[in-house]
Amino acid sequence: MSRAVDRVAGTHSQIKWTNDLILNGRKLCGILTELSVEGETGELQYVVAGIGFNVSQREEDFDGDVSKIATSILRETGRLISRAELAAAMIEELDALYAALKSGDTGGYLDEYRRRCVTIGREVQLLWQDTKEKVTALDVDEEFGLIVRRENGTVETVRTGEVSVRGLYGYVE
């Protein structure tokens, strides 16, 4: 999605692990996914992705605290882009990613993800169930898991949950 929006809007978006797009320090896009795996074979049955881009909101459309953490393509670029063009670019990028996943050739995606990831190298809050823990995000592994160092020095890979930078640096600063 980062590639799609950058291509259509001429932006330089970044990623907050795992799947929020950030533009100029504010959230531009959120992505939620759900998948089902067949229990006996481990075969993927389906994936559903919900992708929400802020496209045409203006400054006044973001109230109060939301204004500090969210943005839109129009707000950041001053350009109203075609939603149809963005949707087409998103589909093209998803199709290319699907082909790479099927062939096992995801190295380029991983390298690009790491370059775009604003989470790496930062102290963040790991949110899991009802707990919050400050950790340092060290890297992203080959399966896109976040490698973190806990305050006690233990290093582990996080694959679920949420990582928040809010309350630590503004949104991503």
Side-chain angles (χ1 to χ4, degrees), residues 74-172:
L74 176 61
R75 183 180 186 194
E76 296 301 322
T77 67
R79 294 179 38 228
L80 190 57
I81 65 155
S82 162
R83 286 189 173 124
E85 186 180 356
L86 178 58
M90 291 165 61
I91 291 167
E92 290 168 2
E93 293 298 341
L94 283 171
D95 191 49
L97 176 58
Y98 180 64
L101 287 169
K102 280 177 59 176
S103 72
D105 184 23
T106 58
Y109 283 95
L110 180 58
D111 292 343
E112 182 176 4
Y113 188 97
R114 285 174 170 148
R115 282 192 309 273
R116 290 180 183 262
C117 188
V118 298
T119 311
I120 296 172
R122 295 184 184 270
E123 183 179 80
V124 297
Q125 288 186 51
L126 178 59
L127 309 174
W128 175 246
Q129 296 170 343
D130 292 332
T131 63
K132 288 183 184 179
E133 179 185 1
K134 285 185 183 176
V135 297
T136 302
L138 302 175
D139 200 358
V140 173
D141 74 6
E142 286 71 28
E143 295 176 344
F144 297 86
L146 185 66
I147 302 170
V148 300
R149 182 184 317 108
R150 296 185 181 277
E151 288 184 331
N152 68 7
T154 335
V155 174
E156 68 179 76
T157 301
V158 176
R159 301 208 181 279
T160 60
E162 183 180 343
V163 168
S164 175
V165 291
R166 284 182 223 149
L168 291 175
Y169 308 102
Y171 189 57
V172 296

Side-chain angles (χ1 to χ4, degrees), residues 15-34:
I15 302 168
K16 182 186 78 69
W17 186 87
T18 58
N19 51 11
D20 286 342
L21 295 191
I22 305 298
L23 186 58
N24 297 331
R26 295 185 178 111
K27 185 173 178 176
L28 176 67
C29 172
I31 303 169
L32 295 174
T33 58
E34 183 175 320

